[in-house]
Amino acid sequence: MNQLGYYQSLIEKFPEGKLGEGLEPTFPGLSYQPMTYGLLLSSESIYYKKFPNKNSVSRIIELIDWLIDNNDLDEDGIPGWGLPHEWDAFQDGSINTANHPYTITTSIVMNGFLDALSSPDLVTRDKKIRIQEILTRVSLQWCRHVWTDKQTGGFFWYSPNVVDNYFTPNVSAMFLGTLSRLLNEQSKLFNATEYEFIQKRIDSAAEAIISNVKLINGYPQWSYTIYNDPNKKTKLNDLVHHGYIIWGMETYRANGGRHELPWTIGQSVASIDSFIEKKSVQRYQNKKGPARLWGVGMALAFFSEYADIQRVKNCIEIINEVYGPFPSLKLSPDRNSKNKLFYPRYAAHVLWGLALSL
């Protein structure tokens, strides 16, 4: 089976009518996950551009409708998407309520909307206006109220809750990348003052990411959290979160970011390579156990956008042989887990990577 066949088989694992519903490894029972909806919207919008078909149109309509209808599940009057569960992200005792928005999920959903808007025939005029209105409100809200200035640059918080005002590079990088794409593709949504304000936030966030990079073994790395106290313990990113950082920063580069990145696209590719050893993918660069499925999916997405076809094919082969076979992908390799369940939010990262690979 080739990439196209893998994509077509995997999309069928997401049943129409409840495309974003599924099990989670961390939370009990079934739930509707906004991140899954965002990734599927990107995947199907990209796929439709290459292979126009009625089934994709039907799915895209469902995905857009759900994300629009559920853009404020915490009912605070501000658009944003997160987790339908209570969650203490930093294990500091500050528990966010169910449906609290998170910056990373909101970024992924915004990216899905931008992919849908890039095909004019996919979105009706009324839906386009509604999506653009939501994108505008989210952008200005996060830039005004979900932000901290630092001595060097600044950062977008992990979530709009002030107790989550941590500098986590994967979150800030992904969001700044999405905003840079938004300004490039939908500049007319903002007046001159708003545009420059958002651009300054983007560049300031990029400056903070750049100032905290460590070029080790020839490729960029970051700590998961950047604390004000340099003695506070942190860790390097696992594969999925490292992938979010370099995806966001390469999106920034591609959309005319004002700060030059002190690493090349080749070094970004090499940083993903550092997680892969023959036919296995490690969760961390220091080889502490296998990556989860979403990490390998993120690697595939990045390779598909920025690397050579051989890396893409090798990554797909690993997914099929170690996490599969397609389409019944598992959270972890067989040899490390007896869990054979299908987790849609994790598999959706692979679907997105496959769409980009086509």
Side-chain angles (χ1 to χ4, degrees):
M1 193 183 296
N2 59 18
Q3 293 143 260
L4 180 59
Y6 288 140
Y7 184 93
Q8 291 171 337
S9 69
L10 186 55
I11 189 63
E12 295 298 330
K13 294 287 286 185
F14 302 86
E16 290 193 54
K18 46 185 179 180
L19 286 165
E21 184 189 45
L23 295 168
E24 283 283 314
T26 306
F27 307 105
L30 294 170
S31 57
Y32 288 87
Q33 293 289 342
M35 184 181 287
T36 306
Y37 280 92
L39 289 167
L40 291 184
L41 181 56
S42 282
S43 302
E44 281 290 81
S45 298
I46 294 165
Y47 180 79
Y48 175 82
K49 271 187 173 181
K50 299 164 184 174
F51 304 100
N53 67 96
K54 292 181 179 179
N55 288 337
S56 288
V57 172
S58 175
R59 292 188 189 101
I60 289 166
I61 290 170
E62 178 186 337
L63 293 162
I64 288 174
D65 286 349
W66 192 94
L67 288 167
I68 290 175
D69 292 344
N70 294 279
N71 75 81
D72 184 21
L73 286 170
D74 65 343
E75 299 180 343
D76 66 349
I78 302 166
W81 300 266
L83 287 169
H85 320 275
E86 290 186 345
W87 180 239
D88 181 357
F90 292 90
Q91 305 301 305
D92 58 5
S94 58
I95 299 175
N96 293 317
T97 59
N99 296 315
H100 179 73
Y102 290 95
T103 304
I104 190 68
T105 306
T106 299
S107 175
I108 287 171
V109 170
M110 292 170 71
N111 197 55
F113 278 145
L114 289 173
D115 284 324
L117 291 177
S118 68
S119 291
D121 60 324
L122 273 179
V123 184
T124 65
R125 182 177 179 275
D126 288 346
K127 295 266 180 71
K128 178 180 178 180
I129 292 171
R130 185 74 180 103
I131 290 169
Q132 290 175 325
E133 176 194 2
I134 292 171
L135 290 172
T136 303
R137 291 189 62 200
V138 168
S139 303
L140 292 171
Q141 176 70 21
W142 254 254
C143 287
R144 288 168 177 158
H145 303 294
V146 193
W147 173 265
T148 290
D149 285 306
K150 289 176 63 68
Q151 188 172 0
T152 304
F155 62 90
F156 294 102
W157 301 351
Y158 191 88
S159 90
N161 189 342
V162 69
V163 301
D164 285 342
N165 65 344
Y166 291 97
F167 181 16
T168 46
N170 81 87
V171 168
S172 198
M174 194 72 167
F175 198 75
L176 79 87
T178 299
L179 285 180
S180 65
R181 182 184 174 193
L182 175 65
L183 286 193
N184 191 32
E185 296 179 7
Q186 300 286 328
S187 61
K188 293 181 180 179
L189 298 181
F190 307 98
N191 62 39
T193 302
E194 291 170 338
Y195 183 98
E196 186 59 26
F197 169 61
I198 295 171
Q199 185 64 62
K200 284 182 177 178
R201 284 286 195 253
I202 293 169
D203 291 321
S204 183
E207 184 182 8
I209 298 292
I210 291 167
S211 67
N212 284 280
V213 70
K214 297 176 182 177
L215 292 173
I216 302 173
N217 299 322
Y219 48 78
Q221 296 183 51
W222 292 264
S223 297
Y224 180 80
T225 308
I226 309 295
Y227 293 109
N228 292 327
D229 180 358
N231 296 316
K232 195 164 183 179
K233 289 185 178 180
T234 184
K235 59 183 179 181
L236 292 177
N237 289 277
D238 64 354
L239 178 52
V240 67
H241 296 103
H242 176 79
Y244 289 159
I245 298 172
I246 57 171
W247 181 272
M249 296 308 291
E250 293 301 341
T251 303
Y252 172 77
R253 192 203 307 260
N255 286 277
R258 295 172 181 173
H259 289 297
E260 184 177 352
L261 304 189
W263 65 86
T264 65
I265 294 175
Q267 286 174 300
S268 287
V269 171
S271 73
I272 295 289
D273 278 337
S274 69
F275 289 87
I276 301 173
E277 191 174 85
K278 295 183 180 179
K279 289 298 181 182
S280 65
V281 183
Q282 304 300 322
R283 189 168 182 177
Y284 293 94
Q285 286 160 316
N286 53 358
K287 309 295 189 288
K288 287 188 178 179
R292 285 184 158 191
L293 183 64
W294 61 355
V296 194
M298 194 65 221
L300 175 59
F302 195 82
F303 282 158
S304 296
E305 190 74 2
Y306 295 105
D308 57 273
I309 189 63
Q310 191 53 51
R311 280 185 172 89
V312 172
K313 288 182 176 179
N314 182 57
C315 194
I316 293 173
E317 188 176 325
I318 290 172
I319 294 170
N320 187 49
E321 292 181 4
V322 180
Y323 295 82
F326 277 97
S328 299
L329 302 180
K330 294 171 282 295
L331 183 67
S332 299
D334 269 345
R335 61 182 178 273
N336 299 102
S337 174
K338 295 180 180 179
N339 185 353
K340 312 293 186 189
L341 297 174
F342 182 81
Y343 297 104
R345 187 158 64 109
Y346 291 72
H349 286 74
V350 175
L351 189 77
W352 179 43
L354 285 170
L356 289 166
S357 81
L358 296 173

